Amino acid sequence: MPARPTFDLVVAANRLPVDQVARPDGDIEWQRSPGGLVTAMESVMHDQAGAWVGWAGEAGAAPAPFEDSGIYLRPVALSAEEVRDYYEGFSNDTLWPIYHDVIVPASFHREWWSAYEKVNRRFAEAVVEVAAPGARVWIQDYQLQLVPALVREARPDVRIGWFDHIPFPPVGLFAQLPWRLQLLEGLLGADFLGFQRRADAQNFVRACRELLNAKTQRDTVTVPGSDRRVRASAVPISVDFAGLDELARRPETIARSREIRTSLGDPKVLMLGVDRLDYTKGIQHRLKAYHELLDEHRIGPPEVTLVQVATPSRERVEAYRTLRDEIEQTVGRINGEFGQIGAPAVHYLHHSHPREEMAALYLAADVMLVTPLRDGMNLVAKEYVACRYDLGGALVLSEFAGAWHELHQTFACNPHDIEGLKQTILRAITTPDKEKRRMMRALRRRVADHDVQRWAARFLGALDIAPERPSLDPSTGHHHGDEPDMRSNEARGMTQ
Ligand code: GDG
């Protein structure tokens, strides 16, 4: 048997960046899923070979490891019960609600926790198997919070980073978790922990101080019972700006965006929402504001219309099934009351679309509605900006999205304030084009400069120097506290 290959860079994420598709002849093949994370990884993997550890998406035995476009993929098996308990259960029905302000109540089940522990152990074993001596290991997200400590236990030679794609909750909410200490100890196995916002990193540091009695200083936690230090700071994720900009400029995309507008009856104002169908995304709040605007005759079809893409998500979790029913009922009611023949008030699409179609939709939309109640970052907001090479469009953005801390020239809103949201939507419609172009230009500068390639480079740079030089930002040489986020936005006021 040939020796198993090992790699200097190992990524571990719940999902592999490929999907299994059955061919007509019954064979299966793998299709690359074009997420931002994959693009980011490709950008850091050209001069070093990398491996990716993750679940292939189907319950049962794992396929053998294989290579895809230069990345060694190491599948991890999950049984049907593990998918239910580790993934749908503990990850999506315990951690997800706690980490998103308990918008819906969280469920606590001890057998879910056991499955979470067991699966995290399996991921750690796979990482250990493919990591070369001294490798950099980059673990992704809330499904794998125990992996850092498990990898460290087996392999003190490797450097371990973890990135949190979702918010990290305030200690008052985090403390509800019966397994809060194990989760913190799991994460403290890392050398560097990256978060979307400074507030998330601060929540983590505070949880270590209050729940573990750990010594903390600014962004650094000293692991109790040792002198090892772990750094926790903000490295906000982004999108492949150049790739999206290029896609949006293609003649086919431009033609398709015109075609979309024509088939919608050439509305004066096309509004767009694009979300996974999730209760964190504020889809109901958005529909309520829209419904009231129609009801008050401030807007109406055929001049104004709304396209809502709600991509199917986590359909076996009860809260998601209920949400889908609620949203579909609301859409039906709005269309029943305000639609006209050939001109519905809401075009609701509950299926996913190819990336080319998404780019055409972004390019077609005059007003993009991004109104989450809580969101780690929200890539849709940044994708919209990256596609608007024409400087058209207006972005309505919730203060509760991580993206709001970076994207300053938006129509900012508090989605809980329905009256305020209505005003903001009207302002996004009526603000003169010249002003909107100025805003879009500023937004594009920000996203172009802070793209996903830079995010990955910053994360790995921080991992390389942590924790010896804890407070230095590798990309700018500035201290992290200098980052323009929350404070500058607060200074502007939230009413823009
Ligand atoms: C988590 C955090 C954080 C959606 N529908 C289709 C489609 N999409 C793509 C979008 C976008 C992605 O899915 C959704 O990303 P978001 O960032 O908006 O939200 P989450 O899925 O909740 O992601 C979030 C993110 O992780 C990254 O760290 O920003 O806060 O919750 O890229 O374009 N793509 C295609 N067809 C669709 O129908 N092709």
Side-chain angles (χ1 to χ4, degrees):
M1 272 234 318
R4 284 208 184 107
T6 61
F7 299 86
D8 291 330
L9 178 62
V10 178
V11 172
N14 176 60
R15 281 299 309 270
L16 285 174
V18 289
D19 288 312
Q20 230 177 56
V21 285
R23 281 206 311 240
D25 62 10
D27 278 6
I28 58 154
E29 66 180 18
W30 295 97
Q31 227 168 54
R32 184 55 76 89
S33 40
L37 197 56
V38 186
T39 317
M41 287 310 128
E42 280 168 345
S43 74
V44 291
M45 279 184 185
H46 23 243
D47 35 40
Q48 67 177 173
W52 189 309
V53 170
W55 176 44
E58 295 283 335
F66 59 100
E67 203 191 294
D68 185 273
S69 326
I71 305 180
Y72 180 83
L73 303 179
R74 165 59 168 90
V76 173
L78 294 183
S79 68
E81 295 72 41
E82 286 166 347
V83 174
R84 186 190 63 203
D85 295 349
Y86 144 79
Y87 179 65
E88 292 163 354
F90 198 78
S91 298
N92 290 334
D93 209 8
T94 305
L95 292 173
W96 183 269
I98 292 278
Y99 283 39
H100 289 90
D101 290 356
V102 201
I103 296 166
V104 307
S107 308
F108 300 136
H109 295 292
R110 282 162 280 188
E111 58 282 14
W112 289 0
W113 165 253
S114 308
Y116 185 81
E117 260 189 313
K118 192 163 150 207
V119 170
N120 269 250
R121 207 168 286 281
R122 194 172 306 144
F123 269 83
E125 281 159 12
V127 167
V128 164
E129 178 191 301
V130 296
R136 301 193 281 184
V137 173
W138 187 357
I139 301 152
Q140 311 287 332
D141 230 356
Y142 62 104
Q143 301 95 345
L144 303 179
Q145 295 180 81
L146 307 179
V147 175
L150 292 167
V151 170
R152 174 171 298 278
E153 214 179 286
R155 290 287 299 274
D157 60 297
V158 299
R159 238 167 208 281
I160 304 167
W162 176 79
F163 182 76
D164 186 15
H165 290 257
I166 67 175
F168 198 89
V171 65
L173 291 178
F174 183 76
Q176 288 183 18
L177 283 163
W179 308 278
R180 60 202 192 183
L181 299 184
Q182 290 95 314
L183 289 166
L184 292 178
E185 283 159 3
L187 291 175
L188 286 175
D191 296 287
F192 177 69
L193 300 165
F195 296 85
Q196 302 278 28
R197 301 172 306 158
R198 188 146 28 112
D200 297 311
Q202 286 167 345
N203 285 344
F204 171 79
V205 170
R206 184 158 172 225
C208 291
R209 193 165 61 236
E210 294 191 8
L211 301 173
L212 292 178
N213 243 330
K215 224 176 85 202
T216 66
Q217 196 192 13
R218 285 170 58 117
D219 61 359
T220 311
V221 180
T222 304
V223 180
S226 83
D227 56 3
R228 203 167 62 78
R229 287 181 309 159
V230 178
R231 190 179 142 210
S233 57
V235 189
I237 198 169
S238 191
V239 297
D240 177 16
F241 182 89
L244 287 164
D245 176 79
E246 186 273 326
L247 176 60
R249 287 175 195 266
R250 284 184 203 165
E252 313 82 275
T253 311
I254 297 167
R256 176 63 191 146
S257 81
R258 296 213 174 105
E259 193 178 271
I260 289 172
R261 290 191 74 105
T262 309
S263 53
L264 293 169
D266 275 321
K268 276 212 201 74
V269 180
L270 170 54
M271 302 209 276
L272 176 67
V274 172
D275 312 82
R276 252 185 332 96
L277 206 157
D278 196 299
Y279 49 79
T280 59
K281 303 292 184 183
I283 304 170
Q284 313 94 305
H285 295 66
R286 186 184 311 164
L287 289 175
K288 189 170 170 64
Y290 185 59
H291 191 168
E292 290 189 13
L293 287 171
L294 292 167
D295 206 25
E296 293 159 12
H297 309 290
R298 321 268 285 271
I299 58 174
E303 290 79 20
V304 176
T305 194
L306 168 65
V307 172
Q308 176 64 54
V309 177
T311 316
S313 183
R314 306 176 189 173
E315 298 196 296
R316 289 179 359 183
V317 179
E318 180 61 32
Y320 288 76
R321 282 201 295 261
T322 315
L323 175 75
R324 180 175 175 194
D325 288 346
E326 280 169 14
I327 288 176
E328 295 185 353
Q329 200 175 48
T330 307
V331 168
R333 187 167 296 158
I334 296 176
N335 279 334
E337 277 178 51
F338 302 101
Q340 299 167 8
I341 289 176
V346 186
H347 297 255
Y348 169 77
L349 305 167
H350 183 253
H351 53 91
S352 69
H353 302 267
R355 117 181 230 279
E356 292 74 15
E357 182 73 358
M358 303 299 290
L361 276 166
Y362 290 143
L363 201 53
D366 303 298
V367 178
M368 182 80 219
L369 300 173
V370 179
T371 60
L373 307 178
R374 180 57 75 196
D375 214 334
M377 173 56 60
N378 195 292
L379 295 181
V380 168
K382 291 185 174 179
E383 287 166 2
Y384 180 64
V385 167
C387 286
R388 295 317 298 247
Y389 71 89
D390 60 345
L391 303 183
L395 176 59
V396 171
L397 180 61
S398 161
E399 294 156 22
F400 300 99
W404 177 81
H405 296 263
E406 285 182 76
L407 301 181
H408 296 168
Q409 301 286 328
T410 63
F411 295 89
C413 70
N414 167 9
H416 296 280
D417 171 9
I418 300 295
E419 209 47 55
L421 179 54
K422 286 158 63 185
Q423 296 305 330
T424 307
I425 292 173
L426 289 177
R427 222 174 38 250
I429 294 174
T430 55
T431 296
D433 280 355
K434 189 166 169 233
E435 172 64 6
K436 287 197 266 204
R437 293 170 70 81
R438 188 192 60 73
M439 292 168 81
M440 187 55 76
R441 191 175 287 118
L443 291 174
R444 284 176 60 81
R445 257 202 302 273
R446 170 77 199 184
V447 182
D449 194 39
H450 291 77
D451 61 5
V452 75
Q453 289 84 355
R454 179 157 174 203
W455 166 75
R458 276 187 67 189
F459 184 95
L460 291 172
L463 176 61
D464 288 343
I465 61 167
E468 286 85 358
R469 298 169 64 205
S471 297
L472 206 63
D473 177 334
S475 61
T476 61
H478 294 145
H479 287 272
H480 264 282
D482 300 342
E483 272 176 26
D485 56 15
M486 190 75 181
R487 276 170 305 179
S488 46
N489 229 341
E490 275 170 354
R492 276 181 309 121
M494 298 183 180
T495 50
Q496 187 189 15

